[in-house]
Amino acid sequence: RASGMGNGMRGFAALVLLLAAHLSLVDGQAVRCPELNREANTKGHFISGSISWSRDMDGPENSVIFEIVSTWRRNHTWPCNPAIGFTGGDGRPGLGDMIPIVGITVPRSGALQPASSDPSPLQQLAVGQVSSRLITGDMRPGTQQPADYDIKMKVTSFSIAEDWISGVSYIHHTYSAPYKGKTPFYPAKYVASVDDKDTAQPYTTDPWMATFSSCCRQWPTPGGGLTFSLETSVDLSDMLGSPRIASLPVLWLTSSVANEVYICAVPAAGRRSLTRMSGGTLNDASDDGTPAHWSWEVVAGEGGSGAAFPDPPIPTSVFVSAQCSRMRMAPYNTAPMGQFDHVKVRARLGSAHATADLQIRVLPTEAAARAAGVAVPVKRSNPFQCTETDSCQMTVSLGLPISEALGSSESRVFSGGLSFGNSDWGAPTPLEVRYTVTRPSMQTSLMASSDARVAFSATPAGRDHAGLPRGAELSTQSSVPGAELECGGSVTGCSAAGTNDASSSCKFVSDVQVSFSAGAANSRPLHDVPVSAEGRDYQAVVGDGDRQASNLLAQGYSLVGSSDFNAASGGARVGLWLRRDPQGRAVTEVMVANSSQVQRAKDAGFEQLEQNLLEQSGRGALYLMYKRGSSAPILDIRTSPPTTCTECYECDSFWDGSALTGNGGYVHVRGESWTAAGMAAADLWVKRGLERVVSRELRWTPCTGEDEDWVVCAQGSQTTGLSPLSTPMQCILMRVYPKPPPEFFSGVSASTSVSRPGPDGVFVAHMGRRLVLQLDIRQRSARIGEDVVIEFAEGGRPMDRDNIGELLTRRTPTGIFVTDSPDGAPPPEGQPSVLSTVETGDNPSRTESRGFVVWTPSPYQGGWNGTVCVVACTEASRCPAVRGMGGRLCSAPRCFPVRVERCKWQVQNEDSFTTVAPRFQTSWLQLWYANPLIRHPDFSLQALPSVGGELINVGRVYSARWDDTVRTVTERFGVTRERLFDLNHDLAVRSMGMDDTMPVDQHVCVIPDSCTLEEPSNSGRNE
């Protein structure tokens, strides 16, 4: 520890504040500050912590923001401001409190639990400052004093029963330079020069080293170590941030066996920091802009002596990187109450590293647990469906549910399923899911699926799905993959053994509905039951039937007995209905609210059924409100408490074989409506699962602004007992990217209608013949129904005469379009070409589509030579990468090189020389002359064996001489310039650029007009 006058004064001031906090009164009222803690059964109060940094983009040059996430013992005597106090219900720190992080020492006597008669409280043994400080590695401006900061932590979660508190600290600092120093190096072929040494001499940069260290750990390491230290390196010339390590505060391990702990990290500055700016060097461009690689190591001498990261860290594939790794832990042998240790890990990203110091607790051995009658929590399925040897990573696109995300290979899909239970010995214990969520901008402290032991939200709405991304849910689900739950039908009674827990047999309530009808009691004239004025207009359906009830029964709902809250009031007949869908999400809370309570309930996360439970009774309004949260599921809802076993949905521990106690576990829920006529009430009795088996599913569809890396670490934890146990941690890395555009790939087709390219890779087309080009499109993050629209790329559609429709009859085939069949027809005019999608392989998020470009060149496209190009487009979904920038995503163009043969026509059905000649502005006689194998001009060309539906000549192909131009050719064959262009599309295109020249041996289709031949103007030059 540093010493000196300045530090001594700060330490003295902190001690004064500490003592004053427990002796002060404010306005005669005692402040909420705890008493001095003279007794403790631990050596210190540090449990775990991690440090990271990112560049402060809004601060001065060389500014950074440090983040420290840490967990401590809550019953430490924290400095308490007497003017404010703490907000915890027991007078200790609560959510949102800002507390200074101060050092703590072992008792002066050295015993773990000093005698209460010891006049000296726990005190700091070493000389120096009281507070634990962050030392940044550089000096204070204008001094030789190290730059350091007092640390204040904002409390984000805590547990009174388990005696821990967790929070986050942020420190802004501006360095005097981007790095601490530089060291010259001399690469091969480098020649030093005095004149340009500063600009040409290569250097390696030495980073700043920021350190947060203090004393003492809650439990010493096996070697007796009490101090801890968190470090991170800072080089602002190379990196925008460090790794941020994601983990639960405590790593629980299975005893007597080697453990593998999955641990992940995210880049604290986002994906921008996945590229190194300088490569850690100066004046050496060879490593500028290179990728920043991940690596892991266990810091020696900091506990966890048996821990190590294997090399390579995880199986590699295109979807996997060392961003996550497995830490192998040597076996621990322990007693029922567990064993404590610490492990310190370091994650590197490029030249930046960061550390995390994590507490280790070991589950009791089976023999020790059986002897003590202690149940041990166990996983019932692999969390997130990750196998023991899996890297547990997924890649998902914006707008796509994570249940359809790609796993570590393209054929693997991860689910968000979590299912934990108890060992088959010891008393079954209620459980909850505990988790943290880490993203580049922050890491949550410990959250839970219930608030049984952990406080993490100050509002009712924040207690459900806390800390998860926007729209994400940790919902109760019965059919968690791998959990092997048996979902039975409705329950008519309870098992005599008293162990039938509905939360493990999938019988929770997933949906609630309210129906209205009018029956005999409130619609028939002269009936004894009073009818309200409003109720007289509420008519029964024919035969006193109930179509609403029939529809609900068909959907799997069951009617709650005696749920007509207007039975004696003359109002509408009301029915409360429940459904138990094993594939649905559980209802976790219900309440009955009057009109003044509805909005407050909605603010707390409840949904409202719009039907008034007091419909048409003139007694006001009451509404059923329900919530699908992350806490224990509701098993049953009744309108009165059960009195016998057969009335109880599930007896759990309330059934002792002879009597029903505690209302069978049902809790009373009441709603009241007050009007001038008096008070009307609706009473419900609600039973929730004990969660001896806890099953949750992480449901999330990432949307705009969430395309970054997310890590969720989870475990199953007991919620009762003096020393609750937890399962080992499992983390999953979810890489979220904007939805990628479709992509073309080369598929295989067995259709004989699909055209094949020639040896030179060019497709040969003919006028009048269908050219069929196959399209295969893949979408890597799509769902069935996200169809593909095919459009022609810019310049990718073959040009034709503008007035082609006026020049040709409808019998002449022509045009280009996209269809889903080689023999398909064009889409309706003005409609896009849409291709449907189909799933491929085992991955529902990868779809494929097949289509065909069908082109029949017209009589004016002979000699066309170019590429036919199309793009595949799909909607960017409701979650575009940039808010407000929706629209479509289009692939790179898919182009086909095509050449249309000149002077060749594909004979059509019922074609003859007479019908073909007008298409080429010639006569039947000219066509007959160009096809000498056809003996008679009057027959249908399609029927002639010598033709057989193939090609005929429509003119003669002329090879240009060295001095030919468009003008000389037109004069030589007696054709007009326009007519020559009609027969030779490539000449027309070239002439648009004012180029009338012809390469030697240029092929030109001509139909000579012997009646208009003129003497060539270049006669004498072409002899």
Side-chain angles (χ1 to χ4, degrees), residues 516 532 534 565-566 569-572 574 592-598 608-624 671-682:
F516 294 150
S532 68
E534 296 174 338
F565 300 102
N566 292 331
S569 66
V574 177
V592 180
N594 58 39
S595 300
S596 64
Q597 298 168 330
V598 166
Q608 177 188 2
L609 290 179
E610 299 298 332
Q611 297 91 335
N612 177 11
L613 299 179
L614 307 179
E615 176 75 6
Q616 295 193 350
S617 67
R619 299 181 297 154
L622 288 175
Y623 300 96
L624 184 64
E672 297 179 349
S673 171
W674 293 85
T675 64
M679 187 269 290

Side-chain angles (χ1 to χ4, degrees), residues 458-506:
T459 63
R463 295 176 191 142
D464 290 299
H465 321 300
L468 297 175
R470 182 181 67 249
E473 296 181 352
L474 195 65
S475 301
T476 299
Q477 186 183 15
S478 58
S479 55
V480 171
E484 301 175 355
L485 300 183
E486 297 180 359
C487 303
S490 60
V491 173
T492 57
C494 298
S495 63
T499 59
N500 191 18
D501 183 2
S503 63
S504 64
S505 55
C506 320

